[in-house]
Amino acid sequence: SRAGIQNAGSISALNDVVVIAHTVQNSGAITAGATAGLAAGTQVTLAEHGTERLSVMAGTAGTGARVGVDNSGTIQAVTTELKAAGGNIYALAINNGGHVRATGLVNENGHIFLRATTSTSAAQGTISTTGTLDTGATKASSGDVTMQGTSLKIGGTIDVGQGTFTLEAPVISLDSNTTITGAGVNLLGNVRGGGNDLTIHGTTTLGTGPADTATGLGDVLFDGNLTLNVGVLEAR
């Protein structure tokens, strides 16, 4: 089916909330005591247990169709998974303009996953986040944020507390002035700033190898140890 699911109200559960469809849109509130998962694809696997419960096996958009996840509301759970694959590596597969929070209150080390991937490809779409990704509200048990796709467009506020923030894509773009707070920050790919500012509080790894670059940045502030695996680091 190419039908979609839209939530504009309130969904809550003591354990899990999982929404699977061709397109998934949340403009309301989703609260789960364990896992909150939004998955868009034509073939999706839901595991009974594990760190990541959802895997998009395949996504086929078809003529005039789109496969993707849009969140403009709030999602709160111990672990949150937003996953999509639309069969077009240049399409916007995941768009987060809302607030995603992994609490880690009931189970330790809450985690947020945003993956525009399939089981057979490491990159199947673009992820854009201009809202808030937050696992740092409880510093003692804060978790990690992992994002993986063809290209990542990052803006807004990201706070993983004592956790690790990992971005992995061939191209990582800063859409607006970006603040990242975490014990570890890994920007694994070519970073493009477009003149936007980047502030990172935490130990930082930039790039995966000498071929990677970090260019076009505005004011750049690194508050912590910095490892550069890039050919060019240019702030202007």
Side-chain angles (χ1 to χ4, degrees):
S1 171
R2 291 179 181 171
I5 295 177
Q6 299 181 11
N7 173 51
S10 178
I11 300 174
S12 62
L14 293 176
N15 292 313
D16 302 326
V17 174
V18 179
V19 184
I20 302 173
H22 198 82
T23 58
V24 178
Q25 296 174 297
N26 175 53
S27 58
I30 298 176
T31 304
T35 296
L38 278 61
T42 52
Q43 184 180 349
V44 178
T45 295
L46 173 62
E48 186 174 359
H49 303 289
T51 303
E52 294 185 65
R53 304 278 303 282
L54 286 165
S55 298
V56 179
M57 311 301 291
T60 304
T63 304
R66 171 182 173 265
V67 179
V69 174
D70 291 303
N71 175 53
S72 59
T74 61
I75 302 173
Q76 180 168 298
V78 173
T79 299
T80 300
E81 303 180 40
L82 275 60
K83 299 183 177 179
N88 181 354
I89 63 173
Y90 302 107
L92 181 61
I94 299 175
N95 183 32
N96 174 51
H99 191 149
V100 180
R101 183 185 180 205
T103 61
L105 293 177
V106 179
N107 300 311
E108 290 186 358
N109 300 324
H111 204 135
I112 297 174
F113 297 95
L114 285 79
R115 296 193 194 274
T117 63
T118 68
S119 60
T120 58
S121 175
Q124 281 290 324
T126 294
I127 300 175
S128 175
T129 179
T130 55
T132 300
L133 301 175
D134 180 10
T135 68
T138 55
K139 302 297 183 181
S141 60
S142 53
D144 303 332
V145 173
T146 301
M147 297 175 63
Q148 184 182 37
T150 302
S151 65
L152 306 179
K153 299 179 179 179
I154 310 303
T157 301
I158 298 163
D159 183 0
V160 300
Q162 297 303 308
T164 299
F165 177 60
T166 301
L167 292 176
E168 184 176 357
V171 178
I172 300 171
S173 301
L174 304 180
D175 276 358
S176 60
N177 296 342
T178 304
T179 300
I180 303 170
T181 301
V185 178
N186 303 310
L187 305 184
L188 307 180
N190 292 305
V191 181
R192 299 288 182 267
N196 295 308
D197 295 342
L198 173 63
T199 302
I200 298 179
H201 304 284
T203 298
T204 304
T205 298
L206 191 61
T208 57
D212 291 336
T213 61
T215 62
L217 302 174
D219 292 334
V220 180
L221 171 63
F222 295 104
D223 182 10
N225 297 325
L226 174 63
T227 299
L228 294 177
N229 295 316
V230 299
V232 178
L233 176 61
E234 175 188 351
R236 60 184 181 184

